[in-house]
Amino acid sequence: MRLESFVRGSWMSPGQELAEIYSAVTGDVVAQVANGGLDMGEVLAYARQVGGPALRKLTFHQRAELLKRIAIHLSERKDQLYTLSYQTGTTRSDNFIDVDGGIGTLFVYASKGRRELPNATFLLDGAVEPLSKGGSFVGQHVMTPLNGVAVHINAFNFPCWGMLEKLAPAILAGVPVVTKPATITSYVAHALVRMIVESRILPEGALQCIVGSTGDLFDHLTCQDVVSFTGSADTAQKLQRHPVIARESVRFIAERDSLNAAILAPDAGPGTPEFDLFIKEVAKEMTVKAGQKCTAIRRAIAPNAHVPAVIEALGERLSKIKVGNPELEGVRMGPVVGLGQRRDVLAQVAKLRTEANIVVGDPDNFTVEGADRERGAFIPPLLLHCPDPIRANNVHSVEAFGPVCTVMGYDGLDQAVALANRSDGSLVASLYTYDPATAADLVFGVGAFHGRLVLIDRDCAKEQTGHGSPMPHMVHGGPGRAGGGEELGGMRGVHHYMQRTALQGSPAMLSRVTQSWIKGAPTIEEERHPFRYYFEDLAIGQTFMSKERTITLEDIEHFAEFTGDTFYAHMSEEATKNHPFFPGRVAHGYLLLSFAAGLFVDPDLGPVLANYGLDSLRFIKPVQPGETIRVRLTTKSKSPRNEQYGEVRWDVEIMTDKGETVATYELLTMNAVRP
């Protein structure tokens, strides 16, 4: 098949120079790619002028709905992606990680967008900051979508997941995407983009795909654009040095080579569940996708006393791995992505062998099931042992991006930490121990050098997602050699595509601009209780001032007996003498909340359907028997949820009759939409 780029709303293949893509399994040509001929300035302009405005008109909830619809659409067609992916050398289980993992990431971001973001086009970031003594000048941070393009340059090993894990947070943020898949597996990415385009779910210009060379794309970037790159350190450094990146301060997120480590603790010796989990995980990371994962375990670090047992156990497990045509039943590992990749892996293995010995596997003598060993890009799992890792260099700096791992021993946790950190920054390290003290020493010893740490033991064994599986909820990235960037991480990934802006002004002005009431802004007092208003009729700043209620000693003692909360500060005047906080017996904080609810709740059936939460509670001043309280209830913000109801956030302040603030919090209710 001849692959086309999808740009400016059409499929195009203007280039005349054709590059051939070969099957990793058979060596046959599976696709052709045309290089050149695209006007990259126009591609970016189309995204900025068409895709960007269309996305920014939508709220976070509407964008989340787009992601959910795409995920459902792709789920119904994923078998087509499986079939194509076999030619890249991946097995059925490998495809589950790539295809289903990518679709799953869309679902996660769709769900988190609905649950964690407002039904608005911008975000409030943090609390209001008082900037003046009298309160007439305040500050508030807001986040808005960048007015540029998210340029995504993806690696060959995950043509589906790599594209979708970048696409999801960018679209949710409201920024159009230009995606560039790695050429060698671009036929899978091409099919994925075609499915999305044919669904017509995304607005015009929200997604474009460049197959082949990027040409002068980087020459047209601006300060409003973001480049997210996954690939080799050499390519990342070349792109980061581009003069436009520096001149325009273009945001650049890099996820690069990584010599990840698995650390077996001294307590996790042979016969323990943690030892077995270590062996299972190292073997899995060597063979899943033929070891072609940026998160794969490259260095297995174990106590010197356990190294022979580790090598023996890994040898036994790896000997059961059938290498061959990934479409065949029983084949556990396919080839690497191509003959060029095989040559590169073996060249890197040769460098490792200057400091380590191959103890499992023979690159010149192994069996391949259902395929030609020479025409396909096959390599057996290769386990090396480095006898002197302290003095070695290559095992800490050379990555063989295939089914290759090096075992190395240590004496004492300090040495284990030093070895793990010799990689100068990695995406992930996994720790195998059942001793919390050992786990803490390792976590805080290696944490600064690794973007993610997985603590695997018998308690989480059945449900842990594995060393090499980045989850959408957690950050994916690492310092130093790993690129210094971050992807995913839930809403953290969305923030990469937004600009944080500090707003300063009066409470009245900022309340109107942000549609969120700030203390000091004008309030609206109506005769009707605010709980009597339907969602759309309720105004921001609408306020209710309650009647007063005096707290008695009988109230406190009854509450204590009724709830069982007999904390000394509520029950004994003697116990509170010389207390740093309490001037004597005081009311329970939750008694005050309960009385506050009684003072401001309107009891009749009406538009308030439910009270479903309370945020940011702070008790500020203790209340003694004989003091009087009242409550101010103010509509802080509103967020539509569906056709039946919307979310209302109320600012609540409990105060004394003298105007002293007793407690503050935010109340969340679901209010019905007018029928």
Side-chain angles (χ1 to χ4, degrees):
M1 54 184 145
R2 181 165 174 170
L3 306 183
E4 298 177 305
S5 295
F6 182 73
V7 295
R8 297 162 58 201
S10 302
W11 291 98
M12 297 184 181
S13 181
Q16 298 303 313
E17 179 186 348
L18 295 179
E20 294 182 330
I21 303 174
Y22 302 92
S23 166
V25 181
T26 66
D28 297 331
V29 175
V30 294
Q32 293 178 320
V33 177
N35 284 311
L38 295 177
D39 187 323
M40 296 302 174
E42 291 186 1
V43 170
L44 295 179
Y46 186 77
R48 296 185 188 112
Q49 296 167 12
V50 179
L55 284 173
R56 292 194 296 274
K57 287 179 181 177
L58 304 176
T59 67
F60 291 111
H61 288 194
Q62 290 171 322
R63 298 173 205 149
E65 181 63 24
L66 297 180
L67 295 180
K68 181 180 179 180
R69 290 172 57 197
I70 293 171
I72 293 171
H73 182 79
L74 295 177
S75 295
E76 296 168 348
R77 294 158 178 80
K78 62 185 180 182
D79 283 346
Q80 300 173 40
L81 299 172
Y82 285 169
T83 301
L84 276 177
S85 294
Y86 286 131
Q87 298 305 318
T88 71
T90 54
T91 64
R92 178 83 178 188
S93 58
D94 293 339
N95 289 333
F96 180 81
I97 298 170
D98 186 31
V99 178
D100 293 76
I103 295 171
T105 300
L106 292 178
F107 276 123
V108 168
Y109 269 93
S111 175
K112 291 180 79 68
R114 289 279 298 180
R115 287 186 290 108
E116 299 178 24
L117 296 177
N119 198 1
T121 58
F122 65 93
L123 287 176
L124 296 180
D125 181 42
V128 173
E129 297 285 350
L131 302 177
S132 66
K133 186 175 181 179
S136 65
F137 190 60
V138 297
Q140 171 74 69
H141 290 94
V142 297
M143 299 187 76
T144 53
L146 292 170
N147 284 197
V149 186
V151 176
H152 294 161
I153 301 175
N154 299 314
F156 68 78
N157 52 342
F158 287 102
C160 296
W161 178 84
M163 179 190 298
L164 297 177
E165 63 95 6
K166 289 181 171 67
L167 177 77
I171 294 297
L172 187 55
V175 177
V177 171
V178 172
T179 187
K180 163 62 177 78
T183 300
I184 197 168
T185 54
S186 58
Y187 52 95
V188 181
H190 179 272
L192 179 66
V193 171
R194 187 173 286 278
M195 290 177 184
I196 296 174
V197 169
E198 290 176 351
S199 75
R200 299 185 179 276
I201 293 171
L202 287 177
E204 191 75 24
L207 174 62
Q208 299 179 85
C209 176
I210 299 170
V211 179
S213 170
T214 55
D216 64 350
L217 177 69
F218 274 48
D219 292 340
H220 304 281
L221 296 175
T222 74
C223 69
Q224 289 294 300
D225 301 321
V226 180
V227 175
S228 184
F229 169 85
T230 301
S232 71
D234 288 342
T235 303
Q237 291 168 23
K238 178 182 177 182
L239 296 178
Q240 284 178 298
R241 288 194 295 265
H242 194 285
V244 175
I245 297 289
R247 187 186 72 223
E248 298 290 330
S249 297
V250 177
R251 299 185 189 188
F252 195 100
I253 304 165
E255 190 252 287
R256 312 187 316 200
D257 298 344
S258 184
L259 288 165
N260 312 294
I263 305 173
L264 184 71
D267 67 284
T272 66
E274 287 69 36
F275 181 88
D276 295 339
L277 289 165
F278 175 83
I279 298 300
K280 179 180 179 181
E281 203 67 22
V282 172
K284 183 178 76 172
E285 289 301 312
M286 288 179 65
T287 55
V288 168
K289 292 192 73 73
Q292 297 168 110
K293 293 170 61 183
C294 56
T295 53
I297 296 170
R298 304 300 177 195
R299 300 174 302 147
I301 302 173
N304 274 314
H306 300 333
V307 165
V310 166
I311 293 173
E312 181 182 358
L314 282 172
E316 181 180 351
R317 195 172 189 95
L318 293 172
S319 67
K320 299 175 183 177
I321 300 296
K322 285 188 178 181
V323 179
N325 185 335
E327 293 189 75
L328 296 181
E329 191 74 27
V331 168
R332 297 276 301 281
M333 191 181 89
V336 294
V337 75
L339 295 177
Q341 183 65 18
R342 181 174 71 177
R343 287 191 294 271
D344 182 70
V345 171
L346 294 177
Q348 302 308 313
V349 169
K351 295 178 183 178
L352 295 176
R353 293 178 74 176
T354 63
E355 299 171 346
N357 305 309
I358 294 180
V359 291
V360 176
D362 183 349
D364 300 317
N365 184 20
F366 62 99
T367 301
V368 171
E369 302 282 341
D372 187 318
R373 197 174 83 182
E374 299 305 318
R375 285 180 59 81
F378 295 96
I379 304 174
L382 298 175
L383 184 71
L384 293 86
H385 171 233
C386 177
D388 191 2
I390 298 297
R391 292 183 175 85
N393 291 305
N394 286 346
V395 295
H396 305 297
S397 61
V398 173
E399 182 179 24
F401 200 73
V404 182
C405 181
T406 302
V407 176
M408 54 191 73
Y410 69 85
D411 290 316
L413 286 184
D414 287 346
Q415 198 172 96
V417 168
L419 290 174
N421 294 345
R422 283 279 298 278
S423 65
D424 293 329
S426 87
L427 295 171
V428 56
S430 52
L431 318 176
Y432 302 80
T433 179
Y434 202 55
D435 177 33
T438 298
D441 287 343
L442 289 173
V443 164
F444 298 112
V446 307
F449 287 82
H450 307 273
R452 178 166 58 92
L453 296 177
V454 191
L455 283 67
I456 299 178
D457 63 18
R458 66 195 75 176
D459 292 342
C460 67
K462 291 183 179 180
E463 294 188 319
Q464 56 95 8
T465 53
H467 167 103
S469 300
M471 301 300 291
H473 320 69
M474 309 299 290
V475 295
H476 175 51
R481 179 188 175 115
E486 282 187 358
E487 296 177 332
L488 300 176
M491 293 304 103
R492 295 172 182 85
V494 176
H495 295 170
H496 291 313
Y497 300 96
M498 305 186 78
Q499 176 61 45
R500 180 180 290 106
T501 303
L503 302 184
Q504 295 171 277
S506 70
M509 181 60 75
L510 294 195
S511 292
R512 294 189 184 101
V513 169
T514 63
Q515 286 297 292
S516 179
W517 184 82
I518 297 171
K519 188 174 181 180
T523 57
I524 303 169
E525 296 189 25
E526 301 283 357
E527 289 186 10
R528 278 198 302 164
H529 193 288
F531 279 15
R532 307 310 306 161
Y533 289 80
Y534 285 103
F535 175 80
E536 60 267 52
D537 299 329
L538 192 60
I540 302 297
Q542 198 159 328
T543 295
F544 170 79
M545 291 296 297
S546 77
K547 296 179 180 179
E548 295 181 345
R549 175 163 184 164
T550 300
I551 308 298
T552 67
L553 187 60
E554 289 75 16
D555 291 331
I556 296 172
E557 292 182 342
H558 175 73
F559 191 83
E561 181 182 357
F562 187 69
T563 64
D565 181 356
T566 56
F567 184 62
Y568 70 84
H570 312 309
M571 308 305 295
S572 171
E573 194 76 31
E574 181 68 25
T576 57
K577 285 184 178 179
N578 301 317
H579 195 281
F581 305 120
F582 303 127
R585 291 182 70 175
V586 297
H588 305 70
Y590 296 107
L591 167 63
L592 299 175
L593 291 185
S594 299
F595 281 178
L599 289 169
F600 70 69
V601 166
D602 182 84
D604 295 334
L605 179 66
V608 174
L609 303 175
N611 164 1
Y612 81 101
L614 183 153
D615 289 342
S616 306
L617 171 64
R618 291 293 182 273
F619 294 115
I620 297 170
K621 177 192 177 300
V623 175
Q624 294 185 274
E627 289 194 275
T628 300
I629 64 169
R630 65 187 307 199
V631 184
R632 176 189 53 77
L633 178 76
T634 305
T635 311
K636 183 177 178 66
S637 62
K638 304 193 306 178
S639 181
R641 301 299 293 184
N642 57 36
E643 294 179 355
Q644 284 77 44
Y645 62 85
E647 174 189 291
V648 179
R649 185 174 290 268
W650 305 85
D651 186 278
V652 184
E653 181 181 14
I654 305 174
M655 64 191 78
T656 68
D657 55 347
K658 298 176 183 178
E660 301 168 304
T661 301
V662 171
T664 60
Y665 57 97
E666 293 179 358
L667 176 73
L668 299 172
T669 63
M670 290 297 187
N671 283 46
V673 171
R674 192 186 325 109

